[in-house]
Amino acid sequence: MKNKINQILLKSLFFVFIGLLSSCDFLSVDEYFDDTLKFDTVFTKKRYLESYLWGTAGQLPDESKIFGHEYAPGITAGDDIFTVMTSDIFKGMAFTLGQVTPDDLKGMDMWSSMYKIIRKVNLILARMDECEDMTTLDRRSFLGYAHFLRGYAYYHILMCYGPAILVGDKVYESNEEPEAYDTYRSTFDETVEYICSELETAAEYLPVKVSIAQFDRPTKGAAYSIIARVRLHAASQLFNGTDITRFYFGNWKRKTDNIPYINEVYSEYKWALAAGACKRVMDMGTYELFTVAKDANTPQLPENVPTANFPYGAGNIDPLKSYSYMFTGDEPFKNNIEVIWGRISGEVANYTQQSFPQYMGGYNGMGVTQKMIDAYRMSDGKTIQEATATGEYKEGPNDFTSGPRDFSDYHLNGSIWQMYENREMRFYACIGFSGCYWPALSTTEGGFKQQTVEYSIDGNAGKYAGTIGDTNYTPTGYVLKKYISSYDAWKGQNNERYEKGFPIIRYAEILLSYAEALNQLTTTHTVTFPSGEVYELSRNTEEMANAFNQVRYRAGLPGLTQEQLSSPTEMFEQIKRERMVEFLAEGRRFYDVRRWGIYEEVESEPIMGLNIAANKNGGFYQRTVVDNKEYRNRVVDRKLVFLPLSKSEIRKVPLLDQNPGWY
């Protein structure tokens, strides 16, 4: 009888608790009541606490989900990738088509889930000392990971929604009055400072390196690198008191005190903070760009590329393999010294099927835009405009190459369009074009390996070549081949794929971010970090070149010219283009065009490709605007800088202001 009464009491308390949380969904937690019953156990032993900690970490979003079923708008929400596949799968498409609303975020509502993580971390920090078998070393480890998790949860809120509600160390217990949950958002800058503070604290305790078995755990370098990314984001034109800031956010103020959510006063010091944060990662000496040594198949470098050993030139490396093997699985991802933090990803491995033609077992729909094709340079570093002026670049209807070429284990067919001849190595690593050779070496069936793939209407991967669905075609005449190894196959006997990794953040980003931040400085700034490092920072062109040129040399390209380095405007253009190419399909472009304040400009440009409705010899090789309703229905609106807060959150928390433009 006593047990029955206890069960009734527990059920009654449960429903009372649920009623309280209904006033504030952003602090609710699935199975919180069950967690509460277990707390006395969780905090008694180190191994229980460790399980609870990593269970909490497991609730973070999978950063590699950018190719479909995204937790936030992915690569299909940008101007470099375009697909006509269903927006139910590709959430980025739903975002650009205006299907996301405060009533329906299409599965991309992270706000409440991040606060679940934050609340759990707060519980860990409040009660971890109850573990009697925890050593001082254990405590340091738990502190490091807990503060990292909390800072990283707020990071996701910042990137997707902007200003957050900062709850500090507060643990919202089940007996709180509903009014306790009604609070307001902090400003953008306050959110940035809190994230950086949490990650600085985490870095005090996190290890510099982890074992292969713990590969996916964050390190000191990961904490420092996320700080660098956040600092660069906050220093950028959209969020740093420029005319762009006022254009986008001029009327967005907190209703409780009329304070602007985004600071309207420019601060050059923010750029210095970003530069210093990058330099601190560089000075760790832990990371360097990944390279593969040259061999007999490595092509000769153009005359204007330094032949010194990397990182002072490209004389001893194979540029194609050095870039490509980071993503394809041809080299073990867990041993990659460029990856500051990453994960082995089944999501990326499965994505590769989206690019394979249907007859080879794929869906054929991950289309790369002509804008992206044009962004790649020639092998000697010229832009296609510069190479056109010298006659080195052609794209006339009859401009085709003669014989085939083989280099760096890459086979370039003969009789391909000259647009694709003599391009930089990252082009061949990433782009599937008409006439491109697909090895698919893991299968032993001849009909599915060593294939030449054509995207014209009469081609084997043309719009009507497949038999599954009416959206399984590339609308641009190109597909994304990054992450696809020559070994990978999706059809045929013995077909297999290599294991894939996804870099959450890698050293190339730190180098390019450092150059970008230095480029914005007009005077000398002193930056002191909580970890003790002090940096004197100014627009030092030698420093900028040393960082930026490493990325160029690794791709087999020449470095910056003195003319480019001397002009902040021209240097910024070089940086924008380099990031677009270097980080294709890594999820950075979506955030870059927003923080630079060029989102509306670049997204308003027509999405171009080739004429996929024409035969190979009847007009296919002609630039054309994509002819598809998903393109015609795309929405360009400044409110799409952020995701909206769910309307249910706004109703439950009266002080919670919605993001600008959303109602």
Side-chain angles (χ1 to χ4, degrees):
M1 181 68 176
K2 183 177 180 181
N3 287 338
K4 194 167 186 180
I5 292 173
N6 284 340
Q7 289 175 9
I8 293 171
L9 179 59
L10 288 174
K11 288 181 180 178
S12 300
L13 287 172
F14 175 75
F15 288 115
V16 169
F17 173 71
I18 292 298
L20 287 171
L21 283 186
S22 67
S23 67
C24 188
D25 190 60
F26 71 83
L27 288 171
S28 67
V29 179
D30 292 340
E31 300 178 342
Y32 175 96
F33 189 62
D34 187 51
D35 284 344
T36 303
L37 290 178
K38 294 177 181 177
F39 282 159
D40 287 341
T41 301
V42 167
F43 296 105
T44 57
K45 292 185 180 295
K46 181 187 74 172
R47 63 189 180 96
Y48 299 153
L49 174 57
E50 188 170 28
S51 296
Y52 188 76
L53 172 72
W54 293 116
T56 302
Q59 294 179 330
L60 285 168
D62 182 348
E63 298 87 343
S64 69
K65 279 191 173 183
I66 59 173
F67 303 99
H69 302 106
E70 303 98 317
Y71 68 91
I75 61 173
T76 55
D79 62 344
D80 48 353
I81 304 288
F82 182 74
T83 182
V84 296
M85 294 186 186
T86 173
S87 59
D88 291 340
I89 297 174
F90 295 92
K91 308 299 186 182
M93 287 291 294
F95 190 64
T96 60
L97 289 172
Q99 297 172 1
V100 170
T101 69
D103 290 309
D104 182 6
L105 273 77
K106 300 298 180 183
M108 295 186 289
D109 187 3
M110 282 197 307
W111 181 270
S112 60
S113 60
M114 292 304 99
Y115 280 104
K116 292 175 184 180
I117 293 171
I118 290 163
R119 188 199 65 83
K120 287 192 172 188
V121 171
N122 287 358
L123 285 167
I124 291 171
L125 292 173
R127 299 193 60 179
M128 61 185 291
D129 287 340
E130 296 175 25
C131 291
E132 295 181 357
D133 64 340
M134 183 169 58
T135 66
T136 300
L137 188 61
D138 293 332
R139 186 177 187 279
R140 289 179 60 85
S141 178
F142 285 133
L143 281 173
Y145 290 125
H147 282 285
F148 185 93
L149 288 177
R150 188 160 68 179
Y152 197 53
Y154 277 116
Y155 159 82
H156 282 297
I157 292 171
L158 179 83
M159 299 299 285
C160 290
Y161 302 99
I165 293 175
L166 301 179
V167 300
D169 295 329
K170 176 70 175 177
V171 177
Y172 285 82
E173 301 290 0
S174 60
N175 59 353
E176 293 279 8
E177 294 297 327
E179 291 76 14
Y181 305 111
D182 189 13
T183 187
Y184 52 83
R185 301 169 78 175
S186 297
T187 67
F188 187 90
D189 283 352
E190 288 168 345
T191 305
V192 166
E193 292 306 319
Y194 186 80
I195 292 168
C196 292
S197 175
E198 282 296 286
L199 295 175
E200 292 281 0
T201 300
E204 292 181 36
Y205 306 110
L206 290 175
V208 173
K209 294 183 178 180
V210 293
S211 66
I212 292 294
Q214 297 178 335
F215 163 77
D216 56 353
R217 294 191 180 184
T219 59
K220 183 187 293 287
Y224 283 166
S225 297
I226 298 298
I227 290 172
R229 179 184 283 176
V230 169
R231 290 292 186 194
L232 188 77
H233 200 71
S236 298
Q237 291 78 357
L238 184 63
F239 303 112
N240 193 9
T242 66
D243 290 340
I244 297 171
T245 308
R246 289 180 283 276
F247 177 73
Y248 274 82
F249 302 118
N251 297 320
W252 192 33
K253 298 181 180 180
R254 192 162 55 199
K255 61 189 173 188
T256 56
D257 53 15
N258 210 37
I259 289 178
Y261 275 110
I262 311 296
N263 195 338
E264 297 179 350
V265 179
Y266 177 73
S267 171
E268 186 177 294
Y269 184 69
K270 289 181 180 179
W271 288 108
L273 279 171
C278 293
K279 190 68 165 65
R280 179 170 58 174
V281 178
M282 295 161 66
D283 286 351
M284 290 180 69
T286 306
Y287 311 104
E288 59 188 52
L289 295 187
F290 172 78
T291 58
V292 175
K294 75 174 183 179
D295 58 27
N297 295 319
T298 302
Q300 185 175 350
L301 292 170
E303 292 182 359
N304 58 345
V305 178
T307 56
N309 286 348
F310 188 82
Y312 307 105
N316 62 332
I317 67 171
D318 187 297
L320 178 60
K321 293 178 183 177
S322 294
Y323 184 80
S324 177
Y325 283 9
M326 280 194 294
F327 310 103
T328 60
D330 285 273
E331 289 286 339
F333 187 75
K334 292 183 179 181
N335 293 331
N336 195 316
I337 200 168
E338 181 171 344
V339 178
I340 299 173
W341 190 31
R343 63 164 74 218
I344 299 301
S345 174
E347 290 287 334
V348 172
N350 290 334
Y351 132 74
T352 60
Q353 189 173 17
Q354 301 289 348
S355 285
F356 272 75
Q358 279 199 49
Y359 84 94
M360 292 177 69
Y363 300 114
N364 203 31
M366 193 59 64
V368 181
T369 64
Q370 189 68 48
K371 179 192 290 188
M372 191 68 232
I373 303 303
D374 295 346
Y376 286 100
R377 296 175 177 274
M378 305 299 289
S379 61
D380 62 0
K382 290 187 182 73
T383 65
I384 62 170
Q385 292 79 15
E386 292 167 338
T388 299
T390 61
E392 300 168 68
Y393 174 87
K394 298 177 181 179
E395 54 176 79
N398 300 313
D399 289 325
F400 293 88
T401 63
S402 52
R405 281 199 302 135
D406 290 278
F407 51 89
S408 302
D409 295 335
Y410 184 92
H411 177 73
L412 187 66
N413 282 324
S415 299
I416 61 166
W417 203 25
Q418 282 201 357
M419 176 182 280
Y420 317 134
E421 174 76 346
N422 293 324
R423 302 301 290 269
E424 61 161 287
M425 292 300 154
R426 289 176 296 189
F427 174 84
Y428 299 114
C430 295
I431 305 301
F433 49 87
S434 205
C436 187
Y437 176 75
W438 290 62
L441 297 178
S442 65
T443 180
T444 55
E445 289 193 45
F448 307 118
K449 67 184 295 184
Q450 297 176 318
Q451 298 290 295
T452 294
V453 176
E454 304 276 0
Y455 297 108
S456 56
I457 199 72
D458 55 343
N460 54 9
K463 183 174 181 179
Y464 301 119
T467 59
I468 305 172
D470 58 0
T471 60
N472 293 318
Y473 67 92
T474 168
T476 63
Y478 305 99
V479 297
L480 180 67
K481 285 191 75 177
K482 191 174 182 175
Y483 302 100
I484 297 177
S485 167
S486 60
Y487 178 80
D488 295 346
W490 277 98
K491 196 172 184 178
Q493 189 174 7
N494 299 320
N495 73 84
E496 292 182 332
R497 277 78 54 198
Y498 280 147
E499 180 181 71
K500 311 297 178 185
F502 181 80
I504 298 171
I505 190 163
R506 57 187 177 93
Y507 191 54
E509 181 179 341
I510 297 299
L511 293 174
L512 293 181
S513 296
Y514 180 58
E516 179 181 349
L518 287 184
N519 185 53
Q520 297 292 334
L521 300 181
T522 61
T523 188
T524 301
H525 299 268
T526 301
V527 172
T528 303
F529 289 104
S531 49
E533 297 89 350
V534 180
Y535 294 102
E536 296 285 334
L537 297 151
S538 61
R539 193 182 184 279
N540 185 314
T541 56
E542 183 178 354
E543 283 281 293
M544 288 160 51
N546 287 342
F548 186 96
N549 285 350
Q550 289 185 53
V551 178
R552 283 277 182 87
Y553 295 156
R554 196 258 299 274
L557 295 171
L560 294 161
T561 66
Q562 196 56 47
E563 182 181 9
Q564 291 166 342
L565 282 164
S566 63
S567 167
T569 301
E570 176 57 29
M571 183 66 192
F572 187 38
E573 293 303 313
Q574 296 295 319
I575 289 165
K576 287 191 291 186
R577 187 172 190 146
E578 200 67 26
R579 288 182 70 99
M580 182 180 184
V581 170
E582 179 70 17
F583 303 125
L584 170 66
E586 293 181 54
R588 303 308 332 141
R589 178 73 175 168
F590 177 87
Y591 300 104
D592 278 348
V593 299
R594 281 159 174 77
R595 69 180 178 85
W596 289 327
I598 62 173
Y599 151 70
E600 289 180 285
E601 172 190 338
V602 300
E603 290 288 345
S604 295
E605 296 172 0
I607 292 180
M608 304 287 292
L610 299 182
N611 187 3
I612 63 168
N615 291 333
K616 177 179 178 180
N617 297 319
F620 171 75
Y621 291 106
Q622 181 178 8
R623 292 171 179 260
T624 184
V625 176
V626 168
D627 183 17
N628 186 272
K629 63 182 177 61
E630 273 74 17
Y631 163 63
R632 293 189 293 270
N633 293 337
R634 280 168 67 94
V635 175
V636 178
D637 192 311
R638 71 186 68 170
K639 72 180 182 182
L640 297 183
V641 166
F642 292 132
L643 282 166
L645 300 185
S646 169
K647 192 168 287 185
S648 64
E649 299 288 350
I650 301 296
R651 284 194 294 262
K652 293 169 184 175
V653 187
L655 293 181
L656 190 59
D657 292 327
Q658 180 60 277
N659 279 335
W662 298 97
Y663 304 101

